[in-house]
């Protein structure tokens, strides 16, 4: 049955340039109807993702009043559970008092069923239609959250489409599907999966989740770039020397090496999370914050990126050190695996704004720190009339996504004293914990689930956006899979393979001299996995 809600019908594929009538675009809005009868179906409800992320995110929204009063959450999986057994399984993962947990859990029920055949889907549809029948005349929303491996998406979506697609004919009713990454292994497999899902649901109903798009600082980067006049004239190749986007974890695969080994660090982190951050850094200002306007600009800049060349990459794999086991010591990892747990990749954007500026994307496991940040290093100040080496006194804008969200700008200032030309590097610092004390910054999942309930797709990945990202990395991934690139060992707890320092130097990164964080921290050396001097650790 067709969807009743009037949803925005902006361009699904950028190259088609199909847009809705102007009036409908101007009337676009995202909201939750007060009388909405909302049912969230968590498919894969007995799995780790559902219990660790999906249900706690839904509880956060429930506790803070973001869900409508008339809400029901149905878990669906093959495991033989009762409603009470599901609640008992979820309880340790939830926040708050026993009363607050019980208030949420009373909205949670369970339907057991397989992902093939009809019996389970028919049972789920009876639960859905029975609930909606009791709320006849009210708009109804169905949100299907697939907390499942992508390999089963086609059969799961086929079952949902065939048996659980009968929305009430009430204005404001809607049906939406959230799917988790990874979306394929390369461009061909991603397109195959996208085509299968596209035959079942239109793009307006599909919400491809990348939780980095829901992070507070990723969304703040978009606002900061386009709301502040002073950044605009400097945000280009004339002023910016290089950009680093870094993801570091201080732990290994923790017994999940068998799963990780099928993907590797490029597919797991760089091709999706970090390339999305790059798009926010490099995109042009959209016409509006309409989801399609924003995603149109992301697609445009991704299409300007050259496919990665093999000499622009450094791969690594952690080995046993500091009392910790190496990657191949994990019994779930195949013997002799060459799957990279670290990668540094240099990308170039062929357009007028960014021509010649290296973007270095780095990600790794079992490193010396845990953080995610964006570091924009400026070119040296020309005709530097003060003391010091201008090439080693660079302005830098750093956006730290995790932990302890912060934005800081490294500035050259006069050192206190009688000497006019005595310069030092200091910082303008926005520390969220200090600037907004007591404000709880939610995890990305509550924000993105709420966006899906509201019908706001701006922080979800569109099909052509996904295609453009895979096109950048597919040749490299095939080279890695075929063993054509060396994988350098690095000790557990280190900064990563030393070869990444050389890649960073070739990209033009310069370590700032004599910079110290003002709380007594020593200068931080440039690292392949952590950025340059001045990183707040």
């Amino acid at each position: 049955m067709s969807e009743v809600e009037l949803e925005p019908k902006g361009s699904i594929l950028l190259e088609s340039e199909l847009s809705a009538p102007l009036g409908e675009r101007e009337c676009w809005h995202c909201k939750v109807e007060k009388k909405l009868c909302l049912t969230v179906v968590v498919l894969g409800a007995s799995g780790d993702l559902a219990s660790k992320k999906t249900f706690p995110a839904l509880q956060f929204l429930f506790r803070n009043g973001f869900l409508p009063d008339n809400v029901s959450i149905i878990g669906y999986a093959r495991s033989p559970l009762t409603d009470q057994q599901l609640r008992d399984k979820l309880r340790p993962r939830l926040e708050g008092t026993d009363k607050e947990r019980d208030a949420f859990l009373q909205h949670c029920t369970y339907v057991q069923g397989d992902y093939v055949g009809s019996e389970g889907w028919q049972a789920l549809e009876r639960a859905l239609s029975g609930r909606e029948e009791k709320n006849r005349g009210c708009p109804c929303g169905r949100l299907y959250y697939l907390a499942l491996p992508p390999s089963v998406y086609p059969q799961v979506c086929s079952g949902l489409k065939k048996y659980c697609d009968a929305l009430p004919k009430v204005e404001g009713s809607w049906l939406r599907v959230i799917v988790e990454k990874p979306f394929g292994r390369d461009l061909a497999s991603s397109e195959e999966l996208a085509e299968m899902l596209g035959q079942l649901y239109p793009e307006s109903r599909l919400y491809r989740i990348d939780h980095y798009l829901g992070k507070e600082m990723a969304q703040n980067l978009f606002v900061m770039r386009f709301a502040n006049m002073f950044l605009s004239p400097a945000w280009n190749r004339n002023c910016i020397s290089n950009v680093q986007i870094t993801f570091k974890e201080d732990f290994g695969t923790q017994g999940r090496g068998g799963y990780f080994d099928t993907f590797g660090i490029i597919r797991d982190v760089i091709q999706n999370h970090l390339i999305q951050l790059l798009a926010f850094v490099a995109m042009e200002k959209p016409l509006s914050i309409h989801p399609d306007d924003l995603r149109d600009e992301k697609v445009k800049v991704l299409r300007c990126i050259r496919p990665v060349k093999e000499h622009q990459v450094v791969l690594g794999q952690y080995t046993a050190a500091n009392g910790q086991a190496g990657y191949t010591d994990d019994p779930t990892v195949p013997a002799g695996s060459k799957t990279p747990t670290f990668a540094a990749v240099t990308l170039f954007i062929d357009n007028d704004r960014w021509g010649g500026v290296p973007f270095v994307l780095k990600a790794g496991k079992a490193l010396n720190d845990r953080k995610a940040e964006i570091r924009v290093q400026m070119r040296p100040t020309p005709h530097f009339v003060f003391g010091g080496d201008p090439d080693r006194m660079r302005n830098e804008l750093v956006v730290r996504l995790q932990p302890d969200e912060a934005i800081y700008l490294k500035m050259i200032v006069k050192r206190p004293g009688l000497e006019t030309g005595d310069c030092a590097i200091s910082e303008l610092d926005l520390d969220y914990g200090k600037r907004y004390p007591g404000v709880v910054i939610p995890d990305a999942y509550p924000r993105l689930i709420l966006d899906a309930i509201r019908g706001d797709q701006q922080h979800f990945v569109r099909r052509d956006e996904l295609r453009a990202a895979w096109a950048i990395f597919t040749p490299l991934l095939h080279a890695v899979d075929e063993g054509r690139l060396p994988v350098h060992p690095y000790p557990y707890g280190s900064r990563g393979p030393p070869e990444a320092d050389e890649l960073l130097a070739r990209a033009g990164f310069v370590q700032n001299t004599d910079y110290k964080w003002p709380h007594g921290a020593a200068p931080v050396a440039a690292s392949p996995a952590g950025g340059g001097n001045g990183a707040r650790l």
Side-chain angles (χ1 to χ4, degrees):
M1 183 176 295
S2 61
E3 190 163 338
V4 179
E5 184 194 34
L6 292 177
E7 293 189 331
K9 298 178 182 177
S11 60
I12 293 176
L13 298 178
L14 183 60
E15 59 265 33
S16 68
E17 296 294 340
L18 296 174
S19 59
L22 182 59
E24 187 175 328
R25 294 274 297 210
E26 290 176 336
C27 295
W28 170 82
H29 64 280
C30 296
K31 66 177 183 178
V32 178
E33 296 285 348
K34 291 182 178 180
K35 296 182 179 180
L36 180 69
C37 171
L38 174 63
T39 307
V40 181
V41 180
V42 181
L43 297 113
S46 60
D48 282 348
L49 176 61
S51 61
K52 291 179 180 179
K53 293 293 185 180
T54 314
F55 281 102
L58 289 165
Q59 190 223 7
F60 178 91
L61 296 175
F62 179 84
R63 286 179 66 198
N64 290 278
F66 288 104
L67 297 182
D69 295 333
N70 189 1
V71 61
S72 178
I73 301 166
I74 301 175
Y76 183 91
R78 291 177 294 205
S79 302
L81 299 175
T82 64
D83 292 350
Q84 190 57 46
Q85 286 173 328
L86 174 67
R87 293 165 184 160
D88 292 342
K89 177 181 174 65
L90 296 176
R91 187 179 300 275
R93 301 285 188 181
L94 304 180
E95 301 288 338
T97 64
D98 288 342
K99 183 178 180 180
E100 289 174 323
R101 296 181 190 187
D102 289 339
F104 171 73
L105 289 172
Q106 71 178 2
H107 292 270
C108 300
T109 57
Y110 187 77
V111 174
Q112 179 190 358
D114 208 329
Y115 301 122
V116 295
S118 61
E119 186 176 347
W121 298 122
Q122 289 172 342
L124 178 60
E125 174 57 27
R126 287 194 295 271
L128 290 165
S129 57
R131 168 173 158 73
E132 291 164 353
E133 182 65 25
K134 295 176 183 178
N135 294 274
R136 185 178 299 179
C138 294
C140 296
R142 295 186 182 186
L143 181 64
Y144 297 148
Y145 193 116
L146 274 60
L148 294 163
S151 58
V152 301
Y153 285 174
Q155 66 189 66
V156 170
C157 288
S158 294
L160 290 170
K161 181 69 176 179
K162 184 174 181 179
Y163 298 103
C164 305
D165 206 46
L167 274 173
K169 294 183 178 180
V170 179
E171 183 178 358
S173 295
W174 51 261
L175 186 156
R176 297 169 188 142
V177 182
I178 295 178
V179 293
E180 282 272 357
K181 75 170 188 74
F183 310 111
R185 291 181 52 80
D186 56 13
L187 178 58
S189 58
S190 174
E191 279 292 284
E192 182 180 5
L193 178 60
E195 187 64 27
M196 290 179 181
L197 296 183
Q199 292 176 2
L200 299 169
Y201 293 109
E203 191 71 17
S204 61
R205 290 191 180 186
L206 286 173
Y207 289 68
R208 299 177 188 87
I209 196 168
D210 183 328
H211 73 271
Y212 259 59
L213 293 178
K215 287 188 174 292
E216 177 70 24
M217 299 309 292
Q219 299 189 2
N220 198 352
L221 177 64
F222 173 69
V223 175
M224 184 178 67
R225 267 206 62 194
F226 298 117
N228 292 287
M229 182 62 192
F230 81 96
L231 279 179
S232 181
W235 209 258
N236 55 59
R237 59 189 172 89
N238 297 321
C239 298
I240 292 175
S241 170
N242 59 84
V243 179
Q244 294 180 61
I245 304 176
T246 301
F247 172 91
K248 298 175 66 175
E249 288 182 337
D250 57 0
F251 53 86
T253 53
Q254 298 181 323
R256 298 181 66 249
Y259 169 81
F260 180 86
D261 199 75
T262 63
F263 295 100
I265 197 70
I266 298 175
R267 289 186 176 95
D268 193 43
V269 177
I270 294 179
Q271 182 274 335
N272 38 70
H273 300 329
L274 300 196
I275 202 70
Q276 288 292 329
L277 296 179
L278 181 150
F280 271 131
V281 171
M283 64 186 278
E284 299 297 322
K285 182 187 287 189
L287 179 65
S288 72
I289 60 169
H290 185 284
D292 281 321
D293 288 340
L294 190 151
R295 294 186 296 179
D296 282 352
E297 296 303 331
K298 289 166 66 181
V299 172
K300 288 177 184 177
V301 76
L302 292 178
R303 286 179 173 172
C304 292
I305 299 176
R306 311 173 199 165
V308 185
K309 304 295 184 182
E310 295 181 13
H311 69 275
Q312 298 169 337
V313 182
V314 171
L315 304 178
Q317 185 185 96
Y318 68 86
T319 58
N322 302 312
Q324 300 289 339
Y327 176 70
T328 54
D329 296 326
D330 186 331
T332 65
V333 173
S337 171
K338 296 297 183 181
T339 296
T341 60
F342 174 94
V345 180
T346 303
L347 301 177
F348 291 91
I349 302 172
D350 287 334
N351 64 14
D352 288 343
R353 180 183 293 274
W354 296 111
V357 177
F359 285 72
V360 181
L361 277 54
K362 301 179 295 182
K365 290 182 172 292
L367 297 170
N368 62 333
D369 190 21
R370 173 185 173 266
K371 71 175 178 180
E373 73 173 25
I374 300 164
R375 182 177 297 267
V376 179
Q377 185 173 74
M378 311 302 285
R379 298 189 184 279
T381 303
H383 188 51
F384 196 75
V385 298
F386 306 101
D389 180 1
D391 196 52
R392 302 187 69 82
M393 300 179 73
R394 304 279 192 98
N395 298 130
E396 289 182 357
L397 176 66
V398 181
V399 179
R400 188 174 61 228
L401 288 82
Q402 65 182 31
D404 305 324
E405 294 87 348
I407 303 170
Y408 58 102
L409 177 64
K410 292 165 68 170
M411 303 279 291
I412 302 171
V413 300
K414 177 186 173 298
R415 195 187 304 274
L418 299 178
E419 299 298 330
T420 303
D422 189 9
C423 298
I425 301 176
S426 188
E427 66 289 316
L428 302 177
D429 175 42
L430 169 58
D431 185 307
Y432 267 53
K434 295 177 181 178
R435 181 63 180 83
Y436 303 106
V439 175
V440 177
I441 298 178
D443 184 61
Y445 279 90
R447 186 190 310 271
L448 293 174
I449 291 174
L450 181 60
D451 283 348
I453 293 171
R454 290 172 170 172
D456 185 353
Q457 290 185 303
Q458 67 174 293
H459 299 123
F460 294 85
V461 181
R462 203 170 62 186
R463 179 176 176 178
D464 55 348
E465 192 178 345
L466 186 64
R467 183 192 301 120
W470 277 119
I472 297 166
F473 289 99
T474 290
L476 170 64
L477 288 167
H478 289 173
V480 174
D481 293 343
E482 294 166 8
R484 300 205 307 263
L485 276 70
V487 180
H488 305 281
Y490 64 94
Y492 194 115
S494 69
R495 298 183 303 156
E499 290 80 1
D501 281 328
E502 301 170 11
L503 181 77
L504 198 56
R506 292 198 301 271
F509 176 75
V510 176
Q511 177 181 337
N512 273 325
T513 183
D514 295 335
Y515 176 81
K516 293 184 179 180
W517 184 245
H519 303 295
V524 182
S527 84
N533 198 346
R536 299 178 54 192
L537 298 179

